[in-house]
Amino acid sequence: MAELEPVLTEAQIAKRVRELGAQLTQDYAGRHLMLIGILNGAFVFLADLMRAIELPLEIEFFGVASYGASDTSSGTIRITKDMERPVEGIDVLLVEDIVDTGRTIAYLKEVFLSRGARSVKTCALIDKEERRVAPIDVDYRGFRVQEGFLVGYGLDYAQQHRRYTGVFQLKTGD
Ligand code: IMP
Ligand code: MG
């Protein structure tokens, strides 16, 4: 039986999203900001974050999948949904649910820099810094979580559990 152990409450997330929004509002004033939500997990975070940024901004979505097991990313990443609009000269902020090994973000940074973005930074709700394999930093991070497989607030396990308003650790008892 799978059990859910609370990690972040709805109120904690809301407070942190307001803080991130205030920081981004300062840092991106006067810039051409585009938030790119990485599907599927980031859509809930993106929806809240964009309303906490008091600046003109564009949003887009980008889909990636990594080959391999469902609960850990492998080295090979492929694009499952690309964007129509160009990013040349634009300040891109990649919005992720979780940065884990960092492979996905490292790959996406390359993609958008090679397409001519003026800058590419990362905002992640959760940073599992201890598990990093690729040498990348999260520029804006909501929370640091050391371990465990997390679900809720957009995060899934096998496409389930995304609907919860908080974040939980999924414990699979033997
Ligand atoms: P990375 O390439 O290893 O950084 O993997 C990042 C991606 O793996 C995230 O966008 C998530 O989709 C997924 N992921 C990593 N850890 C978790 C987790 O605890 N719960 C749900 N998805 C996760
Ligand atoms: Mg993801």
Side-chain angles (χ1 to χ4, degrees):
M1 264 294 286
E3 272 182 61
L4 297 172
E5 187 173 285
V7 175
L8 301 170
T9 65
E10 183 176 4
Q12 282 176 305
I13 295 169
K15 177 169 179 284
R16 192 70 190 108
V17 167
R18 280 195 299 275
E19 290 168 358
L20 287 170
Q23 186 66 53
L24 290 163
T25 301
Q26 277 190 17
D27 294 358
Y28 282 91
R31 313 272 288 274
H32 188 156
L33 176 59
M34 181 189 281
L35 305 185
I36 301 181
I38 310 309
L39 296 170
N40 293 329
F43 79 103
V44 178
F45 179 42
L46 177 83
D48 286 341
L49 186 68
M50 65 177 235
R51 287 175 289 177
I53 301 172
E54 295 179 42
L55 293 173
L57 56 82
E58 298 177 41
I59 68 154
E60 278 288 345
F61 290 97
F62 198 83
V64 286
S66 67
Y67 295 104
S70 62
D71 62 354
T72 175
S73 79
S74 64
T76 320
I77 296 157
R78 76 194 152 90
I79 297 172
T80 57
K81 183 202 171 291
D82 207 335
M83 286 166 41
E84 316 254 303
R85 275 187 286 167
V87 294
E88 268 156 46
I90 289 175
D91 292 300
V92 165
L93 185 66
L94 299 172
V95 179
E96 253 290 28
D97 48 7
I98 296 192
V99 177
D100 186 33
T101 65
R103 287 185 178 120
T104 306
I105 281 298
Y107 170 79
L108 290 171
K109 276 198 147 182
E110 281 302 310
V111 168
F112 289 107
L113 284 172
S114 72
R115 291 182 184 185
R118 179 168 176 266
S119 65
V120 182
K121 294 207 170 188
T122 302
C123 179
L125 177 72
I126 291 162
D127 187 2
K128 288 182 175 171
E129 201 175 37
E130 283 75 9
R131 289 177 43 87
R132 200 75 88 248
V133 172
I136 62 114
D137 289 325
V138 175
D139 302 291
Y140 300 90
R141 117 175 116 199
F143 301 91
R144 269 182 72 173
V145 175
Q146 296 215 339
E147 59 188 40
F149 196 83
L150 306 178
V151 297
Y153 195 70
L155 295 162
D156 76 304
Y157 177 70
Q159 302 304 324
Q160 289 295 319
H161 309 289
R162 294 192 199 272
R163 66 185 183 82
Y164 312 138
T165 55
V167 170
F168 298 82
Q169 186 179 342
L170 188 70
K171 300 218 153 169
T172 44
D174 300 319

